[in-house]
């Protein structure tokens, strides 16, 4: 029990130390996330933060043995549903602190990238959630009921940091199942996030990058997949001084080369054939709007007879360097998978309010940032999955502190008992206490037996 108590204290101190190092409380106050009475916003934030590591949701926790020490039922929901909290300002400040720390550990010659991608948060059973819409899921090729989470991340090739997101509904009224709630002040952050949810995806991408640059983030390239590599968006990002590397699909678009307007298949036919090579060749062309770009043809590993095309607005980059840098985009895919599978993104809280959707998503992003900070700061060789289970084990051991307190109280009562009758009553209390413990704590007692 002493050994497990040490782990419990270590787990409790671990999260408190991380919150202190990242100044979570101070960042919450600067973002206007505060309460006028009762528990502090930091205490509630930390309570929600640790839910996923305890393996329980808020409803189950309220029905556990810990319910006496928890805040009231509506405290957490009022906190998550508050429309005036500037969650984006908090996420920007936290991720900037994390990114600046990563920069201090990385060589100045290493490439830094912004990564843009989207992922669908399905809400198949929802009917009255705010701005619930029919959105297209490009991973399945079908429409789904839910939201499209457009995410902007930062990566140096080793670590990934989510720095902002837009929860998109649908710009088309016919695709929306519910509208935003009425009587909401237009001055609140919640109203601005709702209006933002109705924007087009290319406009949302440009706005994400504008806010990131204004907040102090910087990168050498913007990485995106074929859903975003459109000529108007490329031209807009180039006007901001941002070079783009992205995937291009072989569709109807044409490119100007040697005075001709050619498709990707026609451009590939002009390349000298190279066998047994991953990079098949490259060519410098112009888009229909006159933007010069470099197209790199690479072998499709899954279908050897097919090829893929990468686009770069930086014409000076070598072919191999373009392929290497674009490979950094995969980190956002692993982020989506990890956030949904381990951090309960989109499933832990499913209220009707759009404010709850924004606040809970920000807390999930915070969980990822804290774990990435811990892994990079301590040079931890474990994957985020292994680190997640380590956090879960240590937080779950926090209940052992309560168990130890009860055990110490038993020994004090036993030593004060003078007659056998009193001692027998204390032993009965001990047996009842052991029977009420969770199984993983009860197993620690082994063959413990009491005789009076």
């Amino acid at each position: 029990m002493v050994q497990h108590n040490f782990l419990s204290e270590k787990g409790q101190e671990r999260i408190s130390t991380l919150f202190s190092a990242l100044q979570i409380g101070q960042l919450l106050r600067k973002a206007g996330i505060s309460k006028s009475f009762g528990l502090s916003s930091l205490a509630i934030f930390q309570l929600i933060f640790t839910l996923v590591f305890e393996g329980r949701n808020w409803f189950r926790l309220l029905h556990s043995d810990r319910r006496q020490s928890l805040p009231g039922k509506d405290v957490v929901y009022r906190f998550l549903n508050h429309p005036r909290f500037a969650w984006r300002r908090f996420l920007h400040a936290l991720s900037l602190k994390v990114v600046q720390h990563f920069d201090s550990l990385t060589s100045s010659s290493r490439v830094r990238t912004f990564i843009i991608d989207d992922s669908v948060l399905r809400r198949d059973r929802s009917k009255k959630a705010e701005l619930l819409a029919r959105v297209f899921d490009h991973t399945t090729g079908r429409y789904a009921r839910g939201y499209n989470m457009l995410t902007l991340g930062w990566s140096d090739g080793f670590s990934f940091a989510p720095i902002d997101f837009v929860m998109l509904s649908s710009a088309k009224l016919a695709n929306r199942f519910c509208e935003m709630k009425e009587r909401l002040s237009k001055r609140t952050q919640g109203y601005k996030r709702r209006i933002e949810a109705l924007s087009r995806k290319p406009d949302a991408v440009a706005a994400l990058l504008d806010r990131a640059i204004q907040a102090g983030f910087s990168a050498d390239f913007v990485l995106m997949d074929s859903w975003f590599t459109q000529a108007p968006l490329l031209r807009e990002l180039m006007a901001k001084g941002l070079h783009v590397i992205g995937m291009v699909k072989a569709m109807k678009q044409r490119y100007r080369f040697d005075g001709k307007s050619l498709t990707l298949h026609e451009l590939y036919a002009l390349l000298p054939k190279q066998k047994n090579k991953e990079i098949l060749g490259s060519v410098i062309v112009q888009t229909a709007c006159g933007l010069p770009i470099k197209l790199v043809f690479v072998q499709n590993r899954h279908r050897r007879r097919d090829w893929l095309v990468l686009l770069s607005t930086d014409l000076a980059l070598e072919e191999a360097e373009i392929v290497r840098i674009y490979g950094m985009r995969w980190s956002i895919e692993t982020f989506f998978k990890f956030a949904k599978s381990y951090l309960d993104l989109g499933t832990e809280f499913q209220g009707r309010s759009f404010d709850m959707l924004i606040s809970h998503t920000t807390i999930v992003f915070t969980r990822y940032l804290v774990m990435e900070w811990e892994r990079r700061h301590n040079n931890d060789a474990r994957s985020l999955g292994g680190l997640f289970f380590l956090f879960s084990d240590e937080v779950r051991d926090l209940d052992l502190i309560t168990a130890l307190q009860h055990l110490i109280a038993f020994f004090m009562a036993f030593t004060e008992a003078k007659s056998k009758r009193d001692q027998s009553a204390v032993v009965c209390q001990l047996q009842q206490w052991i029977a009420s413990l969770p199984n993983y704590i009860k197993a620690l007692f082994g063959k413990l037996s009491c005789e009076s």
Side-chain angles (χ1 to χ4, degrees):
M1 287 295 292
V2 175
Q3 180 181 2
H4 283 274
N5 177 56
F6 173 74
L7 289 176
S8 301
E9 292 177 353
K10 182 180 178 181
Q12 192 175 31
E13 291 176 0
R14 188 188 192 95
I15 293 180
S16 298
T17 301
L18 286 171
F19 271 50
S20 178
L22 292 170
Q23 299 177 330
I24 299 293
Q26 182 178 350
L27 297 180
L28 287 171
R29 289 192 299 272
K30 288 184 177 180
I33 304 174
S34 60
K35 295 172 78 272
S36 56
F37 60 90
L39 280 179
S40 67
S41 55
L42 176 60
I44 300 175
F45 184 91
Q46 188 166 343
L47 173 63
I48 303 172
F49 180 92
T50 56
L51 278 178
V52 69
F53 301 110
E54 297 187 47
R56 296 179 179 179
N57 56 30
W58 178 236
F59 175 79
R60 293 297 180 188
L61 198 61
L62 285 176
H63 289 77
S64 67
D65 295 336
R66 292 178 50 194
R67 60 180 179 273
Q68 299 297 333
S69 61
L70 296 175
K73 176 182 177 182
D74 297 331
V75 173
V76 168
Y77 291 104
R78 284 199 301 267
F79 180 79
L80 293 174
N81 288 324
H82 204 296
R84 297 185 181 275
F85 290 167
W87 288 106
R88 171 168 286 144
R89 192 185 310 164
F90 166 76
L91 182 59
H92 269 165
L94 176 61
S95 54
L96 183 61
K97 182 181 291 292
V98 172
V99 165
Q100 288 176 343
H101 177 70
F102 291 166
D103 261 336
S104 67
L105 304 176
T106 308
S107 171
S108 57
S109 60
R110 193 178 184 92
V111 173
R112 278 83 164 168
T113 61
F114 287 132
I115 306 176
I116 290 284
D117 202 2
D118 62 334
S119 181
V120 172
L121 297 186
R122 300 176 67 97
R123 297 287 292 269
D124 296 325
R125 297 184 178 181
S126 297
K127 294 182 180 179
K128 297 184 179 180
E130 270 190 277
L131 297 178
L132 183 69
R134 183 172 173 264
V135 295
F136 184 75
D137 188 351
H138 58 77
T139 58
T140 61
R142 298 180 179 181
Y143 282 91
R145 182 188 292 259
Y147 304 92
N148 207 331
M149 185 181 69
L150 182 62
T151 304
L152 173 64
W154 178 96
S155 176
D156 60 358
F158 184 81
S159 298
F160 176 83
I163 61 179
D164 199 0
F165 69 93
V166 176
M167 199 64 68
L168 293 174
S169 175
S170 177
K172 297 182 179 179
L173 178 62
N175 288 340
R176 296 199 296 268
F177 298 106
C178 297
E179 297 300 315
M180 70 175 72
K181 66 179 182 181
E182 300 177 354
R183 297 180 180 179
L184 184 65
S185 174
K186 296 183 179 181
R187 297 181 179 181
T188 61
Q189 297 294 328
Y191 179 81
K192 296 176 182 178
R193 297 298 287 256
R194 287 169 171 82
I195 296 299
E196 182 183 61
L198 306 179
S199 59
R200 296 172 56 253
K201 195 177 293 186
D203 297 333
V205 170
L208 280 173
L209 290 168
D210 283 339
R211 285 191 296 265
I213 294 173
Q214 186 176 3
F217 295 94
S218 62
D220 302 302
F221 298 96
V222 180
L223 307 183
M224 55 183 64
D225 63 9
S226 57
W227 295 95
F228 300 96
T229 50
Q230 306 170 9
L233 181 59
L234 295 178
R235 185 171 54 184
E236 185 175 359
L237 297 185
M238 283 290 292
K240 302 178 188 297
L242 295 170
H243 280 294
V244 178
I245 298 178
M247 183 76 72
V248 180
K249 277 191 174 181
M251 300 177 70
K252 296 181 180 180
Q253 73 272 27
R254 293 179 176 270
Y255 302 91
R256 297 176 185 173
F257 176 74
D258 200 15
K260 301 177 181 179
S261 182
L262 305 175
T263 64
L264 290 177
H265 288 280
E266 293 170 340
L267 288 171
Y268 177 71
L270 298 176
L271 296 177
K273 298 300 180 286
Q274 302 182 27
K275 296 183 179 180
N276 302 324
K277 286 190 176 182
E278 296 292 333
I279 300 178
L280 304 177
S282 64
V283 60
I284 296 177
V285 297
Q286 288 185 344
T287 62
C289 60
L291 180 67
I293 58 175
K294 187 172 186 177
L295 299 177
V296 180
F297 293 80
V298 296
Q299 187 74 55
N300 190 339
R301 294 181 179 179
H302 302 290
R303 299 174 60 184
R304 300 300 296 179
R305 295 183 179 180
D306 200 0
W307 39 264
L308 303 172
V309 185
L310 298 180
L311 172 151
S312 173
T313 58
D314 189 349
L315 308 182
L317 280 180
E318 298 291 335
E319 299 171 353
E321 186 68 2
I322 293 175
V323 176
R324 185 192 70 83
I325 295 175
Y326 184 75
M328 297 167 63
R329 199 197 69 84
W330 185 249
S331 59
I332 197 171
E333 300 289 353
T334 60
F335 161 71
F336 287 145
K337 178 66 176 178
F338 185 83
K340 290 181 178 180
S341 300
Y342 292 95
L343 304 182
D344 291 347
L345 175 63
T347 59
E348 189 175 31
F349 288 91
Q350 290 196 352
R352 297 178 180 180
S353 169
F354 195 77
D355 296 309
M356 177 178 286
L357 183 65
I358 296 298
S359 58
H360 178 254
T361 304
T362 305
I363 294 175
V364 171
F365 279 34
T366 303
R367 290 169 179 165
Y368 190 92
L369 285 168
V370 169
M371 294 182 67
E372 193 70 273
W373 167 281
E374 176 75 354
R375 183 173 71 96
R376 186 71 177 268
H377 185 265
N378 294 329
N379 197 19
D380 201 320
R382 284 167 293 202
S383 65
L384 281 179
L387 198 60
F388 170 81
F389 288 114
L390 178 66
F391 268 86
S392 299
D393 292 340
E394 290 183 350
V395 172
R396 198 170 290 117
D397 283 337
L398 293 178
D399 290 340
L400 293 174
I401 295 179
T402 305
L404 182 62
Q405 291 173 349
H406 285 287
L407 191 61
I408 292 175
F410 158 74
F411 282 116
M412 293 179 63
F414 188 80
T415 55
E416 294 176 357
K418 297 180 180 180
S419 64
K420 289 186 177 181
R421 182 178 180 180
D422 294 338
Q423 292 178 356
S424 177
V426 174
V427 170
C428 290
Q429 292 179 359
L430 174 64
Q431 292 173 344
Q432 293 175 1
W433 171 71
I434 293 176
S436 65
L437 290 176
N439 290 331
Y440 71 92
I441 299 181
K442 195 185 305 181
L444 300 176
F445 292 91
K447 300 180 180 179
L448 181 64
S449 62
C450 300
E451 298 180 359
S452 57

